[in-house]
Amino acid sequence: MTPTTAAATWQLTRAEISDAQAIHDLVNTFAAKGEMLPRTMAEVYENLRDFYVVRDDAGATVACGGLHILWADLAEIKSLAVREDLQGHGLGQRIVNACLEEAHQIGLSTAFALTYRPGFFEKLGFTQADVMTLPRKVWGECYRCPKFPGCNEIAMVRTL
Ligand SMILES: CC(C)(COP(=O)(O)OP(=O)(O)OC[C@H]1O[C@@H](n2cnc3c(N)ncnc32)[C@H](O)[C@@H]1OP(=O)(O)O)[C@@H](O)C(=O)NCCC(=O)NCCS
């Protein structure tokens, strides 16, 4: 759970209240570049118990991502972000794997993500799907988004 490089030890753990600001900042840094959807502090707090984070050896929160249950058979991997200078070290993969393991443990059968990085999710066993095959997501949440219906995020689905 804690791979070490010459530079740092990275600890994967459940998010705590003290991670909330860093989660918000990580997500919104990429959102400002159009790479993912923004989140408010209220959304971060309301969903904090969904989140895993990775902390470096100084305790800084350097990556985040959450598993959000939508229904009996369906959960979404949301707000996945790895600090830019630490990408490519397996941190994103560790967070997704933690989400998938938890989803499986609690009896969910399908996980999905909406993303501009389909290649990353393909590496982790997800396959591309038409977002309209996820009606609970589209009509429960997407339709309220300012980007709807013109969003070009790609739906990636994995059976557990
Ligand atoms: C996408 C993101 C989370 C990936 O995290 P990461 O820590 O850099 O990725 P990892 O190092 O865990 O990569 C795991 C594998 O996926 C591959 N991979 C990573 N990004 C990829 C991409 N964009 N396309 C194809 N493969 C990719 C890696 O090469 C690695 O493969 P390997 O095991 O064969 O070496 C990260 O780049 C990020 O935060 N991007 C900006 C925000 C974003 O787009 N989030 C996704 C929103 S759902």
Side-chain angles (χ1 to χ4, degrees):
M1 290 288 270
T2 56
T4 306
T5 71
T9 304
W10 291 307
Q11 183 82 42
L12 174 72
T13 183
R14 306 296 311 216
E16 297 174 9
I17 282 294
S18 56
D19 295 302
Q21 187 66 55
I23 292 171
H24 175 269
D25 294 349
L26 268 171
V27 169
N28 288 302
T29 297
F30 292 112
K33 294 191 269 184
E35 294 181 30
M36 58 198 298
L37 293 179
R39 298 289 168 207
T40 63
M41 278 306 289
E43 288 172 310
V44 173
Y45 285 128
E46 284 165 9
N47 296 290
L48 193 76
R49 289 196 295 179
D50 286 351
F51 274 93
Y52 290 90
V53 294
V54 175
R55 301 202 194 103
D56 69 11
D57 51 7
T61 308
V62 299
C64 65
L67 178 78
H68 186 72
I69 298 172
L70 285 168
W71 203 250
D73 56 348
L74 190 65
E76 179 177 5
I77 293 172
K78 291 181 89 160
S79 300
L80 178 67
V82 177
R83 205 174 75 190
E84 200 139 30
D85 59 316
L86 295 178
Q87 290 179 7
H89 291 282
L91 303 186
Q93 178 165 12
R94 288 176 66 199
I95 290 174
V96 171
N97 284 340
C99 291
L100 294 177
E101 198 179 305
E102 183 183 356
H104 180 65
Q105 268 174 10
I106 62 180
L108 289 154
S109 58
T110 309
F112 74 96
L114 296 184
T115 185
Y116 297 115
R117 298 273 187 278
F120 167 74
F121 285 95
E122 258 164 34
K123 280 258 168 163
L124 305 186
F126 288 70
T127 52
Q128 195 168 327
D130 182 343
V131 72
M132 295 313 270
T133 63
L134 303 166
R136 288 195 193 282
K137 172 67 180 174
V138 173
W139 302 117
E141 193 175 332
C142 292
Y143 82 106
R144 296 178 210 269
C145 175
K147 293 193 173 181
F148 187 79
C151 167
N152 52 3
E153 284 192 321
I154 295 164
M156 300 298 295
V157 176
R158 184 166 149 178
T159 303
L160 301 167

